Amino acid sequence: MQRYFIPTNYDEHDRASIEVAGEIFHHMIRVMRMKIGEQVYLVFNQKHTVVAEITTVAEEQAFLKEVREVAWETELPVRVSLFCGFPKGDKLELITQKSTELGASQVFGFPSKTSVVKWNEKKRLNREQRLNKIAKEAAEQSHRTAFPTVRLLETQKELFEELSAFDHILVAYEEAAKKGERSQLIQTLQQVRKGERLAFVFGPEGGLSPDEVALLEEAGGKVCSLGPRILRTETAPFYALSAVSFQLEMLN
Amino acid sequence: MQRYFIPTNYDEHDRASIEVAGEIFHHMIRVMRMKIGEQVYLVFNQKHTVVAEITTVAEEQAFLKEVREVAWETELPVRVSLFCGFPKGDKLELITQKSTELGASQVFGFPSKTSVVKWNEKKRLNREQRLNKIAKEAAEQSHRTAFPTVRLLETQKELFEELSAFDHILVAYEEAAKKGERSQLIQTLQQVRKGERLAFVFGPEGGLSPDEVALLEEAGGKVCSLGPRILRTETAPFYALSAVSFQLEMLN
């Protein structure tokens, strides 16, 4: 069933007549060609979700009535943000889409020492906009009740400013995998409490430099491996988020 | 460091002079332009791994001497095979590459009821060859000591023949996620023993049909969810393999 994010608060007095207009109306009625009697999910202000049925279709808006509330929790119990050293090509698109499906709250790109990508301000902002669109679509498709925000940072200074707000910072480091480190990820996932903020930092293709790792450790980051195999820069976030889900949604 | 799969048995008498020719020679010397003194990983018959140094470069072959053995275990303790209902476009390429990084032993495609893809014999075999090449490259890149084989099955009959050889079969089913099923994956991963064979079955974009799920259950399959979010057909294998690694390589 199609899922729409309604950018207003849920109001229980409107249950019998919920109005949609603009972009959502356009997609629902013009693109998907939905008719009276068809049902959709409506997600209000990133939280409350209902199943609603189309009752009236006008020129510029449609009205729906609530059929039932949806209780099903699809958000991770902790807020996970990814910080990815700018990778090559369209890998950030793939990371954004898959990480959204896997439950990320935020995706950041940052200029790592070994990143080869250079964008001017305009290109960076265009890219950011496109990535946010991908995140929103993936959130709808995966039945999430919140969609992640994507930001492309200009400097490493911004990276460290952002990181200062986190309860836990894990730094995925290839050298840790090679040295047989296997316990930090579990240790952190067993410590983290509901509602806390957890950051994962990933290097680009060339990996994080030892200097960068040292700075991240000074900022409270803990180096971890993601299993014994060497994962590509775009694959590491999939492992990290799956492990968070497995430990906190399945084992707990 | 570059990694090459040597299709012969490791012979400890050859430690001082290991010959490489053909494709490996070509890649090492012509493509990568390696010189005397440079080091590579050599993986013999999908098991034994050594670091070796180039000592001699001739017209058609090169010789290396072993520097040290590599003990580091990069293979999952259980053999995990994926069975993916033929998805659209080039998603099997992405699934093959990422699943190899994440430790899969085999990747199968099969015609599911909702698969829209139809290939003739020639196209299917070409595709299979291409996917096997992707698997091999990804295995080298992720430091694995074995590379998965990829097969595209022609019929569902073949699917069930293959499945009959497995100790455990998990069927990823969207309806299970929606109904709140959260325990089967863990239960199976806690039961599985070292060396056993575990199969995961995934539907294509349209999902497995209830008929197919019933047949898979008759064949010993157990329906499971992969967390509460609805994952795309190509994302589900990443979650499954990451969970296997997390449970069997990190928690154990």
Side-chain angles (χ1 to χ4, degrees):
Chain A
M1 205 183 325
Q2 195 67 35
R3 169 171 290 252
Y4 294 100
F5 288 104
I6 308 294
T8 58
N9 286 324
Y10 174 73
D11 181 345
E12 56 181 38
H13 298 101
D14 291 343
R15 277 189 196 169
S17 176
I18 305 159
E19 182 181 338
V20 296
E23 229 179 273
I24 296 170
F25 169 78
H26 178 77
H27 189 272
M28 193 182 284
I29 305 303
R30 304 275 178 255
V31 180
M32 300 301 289
R33 294 164 187 259
M34 288 192 195
K35 307 272 178 258
I36 289 169
E38 287 193 63
Q39 297 190 344
V40 297
Y41 288 112
L42 299 181
V43 185
F44 291 88
N45 263 356
Q46 310 203 359
K47 284 243 172 178
H48 198 94
T49 307
V50 303
V51 171
E53 187 179 306
I54 302 173
T55 55
T56 315
V57 177
E59 235 358 85
E60 300 285 337
Q61 69 273 81
F63 294 88
L64 299 92
K65 70 166 187 225
E66 180 177 323
V67 177
R68 62 185 163 87
E69 288 190 45
V70 178
W72 183 22
E73 179 57 78
T74 54
E75 294 303 312
L76 283 172
V78 294
R79 289 165 62 202
V80 183
S81 301
L82 309 180
F83 293 83
C84 306
F86 289 144
K88 290 184 204 165
D90 53 7
K91 284 184 188 166
L92 267 180
E93 272 83 339
L94 182 70
I95 292 170
T96 299
Q97 187 191 66
K98 300 293 160 238
S99 300
T100 302
E101 292 175 58
L102 293 165
S105 283
Q106 297 178 302
V107 179
F108 291 90
F110 72 90
S112 172
K113 274 198 182 159
T114 63
S115 292
V116 289
V117 188
K118 298 268 180 283
W119 293 312
N120 59 30
E121 171 103 353
K122 196 184 155 198
K123 209 165 162 189
R124 193 169 52 76
L125 294 178
N126 280 344
R127 192 75 178 249
E128 202 174 83
Q129 207 174 6
R130 192 167 150 213
L131 292 170
N132 275 293
K133 194 162 170 255
I134 289 173
K136 201 170 163 190
E137 285 167 0
E140 288 168 356
Q141 181 273 329
S142 59
H143 289 221
R144 290 188 55 181
T145 52
F147 51 90
T149 49
V150 187
R151 273 188 61 207
L152 302 180
L153 305 178
E154 244 189 299
T155 62
Q156 288 218 350
K157 191 165 165 271
E158 287 174 89
L159 165 70
F160 287 101
E161 278 166 13
E162 288 292 338
L163 286 177
S164 68
F166 282 81
D167 303 297
H168 307 271
I169 302 168
L170 286 170
V171 180
Y173 193 36
E174 191 172 295
E175 297 306 317
K178 289 185 184 161
K179 283 188 184 129
E181 192 289 311
R182 297 287 178 272
S183 59
Q184 187 58 57
L185 176 64
I186 291 159
Q187 217 176 301
T188 300
L189 293 185
Q190 286 174 346
Q191 273 168 9
V192 74
R193 277 156 225 253
K194 203 177 149 123
E196 280 191 329
R197 298 188 68 192
L198 166 62
F200 281 99
V201 185
F202 306 96
E205 289 79 1
L208 294 165
S209 74
D211 290 10
E212 284 175 315
V213 173
L215 286 173
L216 287 162
E217 284 183 310
E218 262 177 53
K222 287 181 176 148
V223 161
C224 75
S225 84
L226 301 168
R229 288 164 297 283
I230 301 302
L231 303 178
R232 282 177 212 237
T233 181
E234 73 276 19
T235 315
F238 310 159
Y239 188 109
L241 285 163
S242 302
V244 172
S245 165
F246 189 70
Q247 174 71 35
L248 301 179
E249 296 181 317
M250 307 286 265
L251 281 173
N252 279 0
Chain B
M1 206 183 323
Q2 194 68 36
R3 166 171 294 252
Y4 294 99
F5 288 104
I6 308 294
T8 58
N9 286 325
Y10 173 75
D11 181 346
E12 55 181 35
H13 299 102
D14 290 343
R15 277 189 196 170
S17 176
I18 305 160
E19 182 180 337
V20 295
E23 229 179 90
I24 297 170
F25 169 78
H26 178 77
H27 189 272
M28 194 182 284
I29 305 302
R30 304 276 178 254
V31 180
M32 301 300 289
R33 295 164 184 262
M34 287 192 195
K35 307 270 178 261
I36 289 168
E38 287 192 64
Q39 295 190 347
V40 297
Y41 288 112
L42 299 181
V43 185
F44 291 88
N45 263 355
Q46 309 204 0
K47 283 241 173 184
H48 198 93
T49 308
V50 304
V51 172
E53 186 179 308
I54 302 172
T55 54
T56 315
V57 177
E59 232 3 81
E60 300 285 336
Q61 70 271 81
F63 294 88
L64 299 93
K65 72 167 185 222
E66 180 178 325
V67 178
R68 61 184 163 85
E69 287 189 46
V70 177
W72 182 21
E73 179 56 80
T74 55
E75 294 303 312
L76 283 173
V78 293
R79 289 165 61 205
V80 183
S81 301
L82 309 181
F83 293 84
C84 306
F86 288 144
K88 290 183 203 164
D90 53 6
K91 286 184 186 165
L92 268 179
E93 271 83 341
L94 182 69
I95 292 171
T96 299
Q97 186 191 66
K98 299 293 161 239
S99 300
T100 302
E101 291 175 59
L102 293 165
S105 282
Q106 295 178 304
V107 178
F108 290 90
F110 72 92
S112 172
K113 276 200 180 156
T114 63
S115 291
V116 289
V117 189
K118 299 269 179 284
W119 293 313
N120 59 29
E121 171 103 354
K122 195 183 157 202
K123 209 165 163 190
R124 194 168 52 79
L125 294 178
N126 280 344
R127 191 72 179 256
E128 200 174 83
Q129 208 174 6
R130 190 164 155 219
L131 292 169
N132 275 293
K133 192 161 172 258
I134 289 173
K136 200 168 166 193
E137 285 167 0
E140 289 168 356
Q141 181 273 330
S142 58
H143 289 222
R144 290 189 55 181
T145 52
F147 51 89
T149 49
V150 186
R151 272 189 59 208
L152 302 181
L153 304 178
E154 244 188 301
T155 63
Q156 287 218 351
K157 190 164 166 270
E158 288 174 87
L159 165 70
F160 287 100
E161 279 166 13
E162 288 291 338
L163 285 177
S164 67
F166 282 81
D167 302 297
H168 307 272
I169 303 169
L170 285 171
V171 181
Y173 192 36
E174 193 173 294
E175 297 306 317
K178 290 185 184 164
K179 284 188 184 128
E181 193 289 312
R182 298 286 178 274
S183 59
Q184 187 58 57
L185 177 64
I186 291 160
Q187 216 176 301
T188 300
L189 293 184
Q190 286 174 346
Q191 273 168 9
V192 72
R193 275 156 226 257
K194 205 178 147 121
E196 280 191 330
R197 298 187 68 191
L198 166 62
F200 281 98
V201 185
F202 306 96
E205 288 81 358
L208 293 166
S209 74
D211 290 12
E212 284 175 315
V213 172
L215 286 171
L216 287 162
E217 284 183 310
E218 262 176 53
K222 286 181 176 147
V223 161
C224 75
S225 84
L226 301 169
R229 287 162 298 282
I230 302 301
L231 303 178
R232 282 177 212 237
T233 181
E234 72 276 19
T235 315
F238 310 159
Y239 188 108
L241 286 163
S242 301
V244 172
S245 164
F246 189 70
Q247 175 70 37
L248 302 178
E249 296 181 318
M250 307 286 266
L251 280 172
N252 280 359

